[in-house]
Amino acid sequence: MDLPPHLLRALLAVLDTGSFTAASERLGFTQSALSKQIAALESVTGATMFVRGPRGTEPSEAAHRLAARAAVILDQLDAARRELDQLAAPVSGRVALGGFPTTAMWLVPQAVARVRAEHPSVTVDFLESSTPVQIRRLRAGRLDLAILALGADLPDYDLTGVETEPLPSGGALVAVGRRHPLARSRSVTVDALACEDWIAGRGGRGEPQFGAWPTLRNPHVVAELADWSTRLGFVAAGIGITTVPALAARSLPGDVVALEVDDPAREPRAMFLAHVGALSGPLAVVRAALRQEAADLAGRGQKMPE
């Protein structure tokens, strides 16, 4: 059954307004032209749409059932038209994106590459900084979007006026050198980490860092280093091990291995995408790219020992 959309719109107009006269005025047709469209609809469907009743012309059961389907069909057609219009007029603009350091290892570069490939008229400026700095920059208007780290072991940041949505993050892992005795394991227990030397992060005051595994008591920290490349260099050399977010696992050096930790007591950090105010076209493009890359990264899993 081939139903032209304009016949469905005519049916909905009559049902919505309650009369052929009001429907013809809404659609800009004469009442005679509208009646011909309803007659054509009845001819195509083989069903009577309106019947004479005690109070004049009334819609039939067939009209009500077809109208319920017609509303969905026309909504889909309108959505398709909007999508095609967007393709005809590419989204363009500049987006200031912020992220904490480990987002720059894989997630952000892949998302920016996706945006460049799919929407070359959208430019992304990336600013790397800690979560509290990003929140300040969002409120000051220096950032349009920000990737934040939140969790039980982090401060309770004031997010008043900031819209957030979760991004897949995969939790935390432990990174060890490839020659480390644990390197051949797929996962380790917390007890197995108790006697290890740890490489911890060091940042500015108030900036959270990854340190030893958070549920360990009195871990032995042998170095506190600011840069991830330096920390992983110490790990690769066998000087200690370190905690890394799963989203950084795919960009670890070849001589560093990431392991899962079996720790029911661990309350993981979570990753959120934040913004202030409505999302414009360019911001929606970057948001979609980040969501897709984060989902892909979480789905592919961590880098396991060979």
Side-chain angles (χ1 to χ4, degrees), residues 216-228:
L216 283 177
R217 294 185 178 181
N218 303 316
H220 184 223
V221 177
V222 297
E224 293 185 354
L225 305 168
D227 297 327
W228 273 104

Side-chain angles (χ1 to χ4, degrees), residues 114-177:
R114 180 185 288 266
V115 170
R116 287 187 175 184
E118 298 178 358
H119 300 275
S121 297
V122 175
T123 301
V124 181
D125 297 327
F126 179 64
L127 296 173
E128 179 187 299
S129 57
S130 65
T131 289
V133 172
Q134 289 187 79
I135 295 172
R136 292 198 299 270
R137 288 176 173 173
L138 272 175
R139 289 203 172 100
R142 293 185 59 194
L143 289 178
D144 300 309
L145 292 172
I147 307 171
L148 310 180
L150 306 175
D153 63 334
L154 295 174
D156 187 15
Y157 301 116
D158 179 11
L159 295 174
T160 304
V162 177
E163 300 288 334
T164 62
E165 62 176 298
L167 289 175
S169 61
L173 307 169
V174 166
V176 304

Side-chain angles (χ1 to χ4, degrees), residues 220-253:
H220 184 223
V221 177
V222 297
E224 293 185 354
L225 305 168
D227 297 327
W228 273 104
S229 58
T230 310
R231 285 181 240 173
L232 295 175
F234 273 57
V235 171
I239 297 172
I241 66 176
T242 193
T243 307
V244 296
L247 65 97
R250 290 190 61 83
S251 55
L252 294 177

Side-chain angles (χ1 to χ4, degrees), residues 170 172-174 185-187 246 249-250 257-261 297-305:
L173 307 169
V174 166
S185 305
R186 296 192 63 86
S187 66
R250 290 190 61 83
V257 174
L259 309 176
E260 294 181 350
V261 180
L297 187 59
R300 283 193 295 262
Q302 67 194 58
K303 181 179 180 181
M304 300 301 297

Side-chain angles (χ1 to χ4, degrees), residues 252-267:
L252 294 177
D255 46 6
V256 174
V257 174
L259 309 176
E260 294 181 350
V261 180
D262 183 9
D263 185 4
R266 165 72 167 149
E267 295 187 37

